[in-house]
Amino acid sequence: MADEKNRQTESGALPSILSIRSLEKSFGSLSVLKDISLSVDRGNVVSIIGPSGSGKSTLLRCASFLEFADGGDILYDGQYALRDGVYASKAELNRFRTRFGLVFQNFQLFPHYSVMKNITEAPILHGEDKEEVRERAASLMRKMGLEGKENAYPYQLSGGQQQRVAIARALAMKPEILYFDEPTSALDPELTGEVLKVIRQLAEEKMTMVVVTHEMPFAKAVSNRVIFMAGGVIVEQGDPLAVFDDPQEERTKQFLRVFERT
């Protein structure tokens, strides 16, 4: 792998933690991502908003290799995971996978594992010391407000608690960047607040995050940059205040007017 010096740009600055260039993805004849380019700097929160079917979740799935793109580039810290539509080796992709964590809208916890085992299983399988992992998990549970739930099973928890376990599980791998795919869409309003509070706390701690969300006030308040997608393209992106208060594109204005009425 290239060392830090080799990853520096010509200006001397380190590259963005995530860079996506001209990404393309189709399912059969349906083009879902069309020439998508974006970057995420370390310590920043990027929120992706847009109507259902706009390609937001597919973009996250391509960035995390759950789906394979048809063309373009994906770089982590200036290193190519995908270059001109050709992926790095399986071993290299596995190394890239250790750099990010994923939190899904439907939690995806192991139903037959306790909360503690859900959080500790992956780092232990990656060869970390069991006692150190359990201590880390206990600390994460306190941070997530899950004290006393170590031996509970997912079915015994509320949706908000399950999502907080999912966040703790992702953090247990010590990722450099967290991806959230509509983390509150399966929750009622009260439980939504619990999860958004945790994500806000992570943002204050400068955790790098990409969040696909329909929570507009949250995206406006927490993000360093907001990306609006529709029809498989990035229609508009920029500072949250600019995008929400003074959108330049008519499609963005239409989308935000719908949310203002709800």
Side-chain angles (χ1 to χ4, degrees), residues 235-256:
V235 176
E236 188 164 354
Q237 63 179 309
D239 177 88
L241 293 180
V243 172
F244 283 107
D245 295 343
D246 188 26
Q248 300 302 299
E249 301 295 329
E250 183 57 36
R251 184 66 184 88
T252 315
K253 295 175 183 177
Q254 292 173 358
F255 175 77
L256 294 175

Side-chain angles (χ1 to χ4, degrees), residues 115-121 123-124 130-144 146-147 150 165 168-169 171-173:
V115 167
M116 178 60 75
K117 190 168 183 180
N118 262 287
I119 296 171
T120 60
E121 182 78 353
I124 289 172
K130 289 183 179 181
E131 194 55 41
E132 290 182 6
V133 171
R134 289 185 66 85
E135 289 177 4
R136 188 189 312 151
S139 176
L140 286 168
M141 290 185 69
R142 288 192 295 271
K143 183 175 184 175
M144 298 293 148
L146 294 166
E147 299 96 326
E150 294 85 350
V165 173
R169 180 179 62 181
L171 289 170
M173 289 296 291

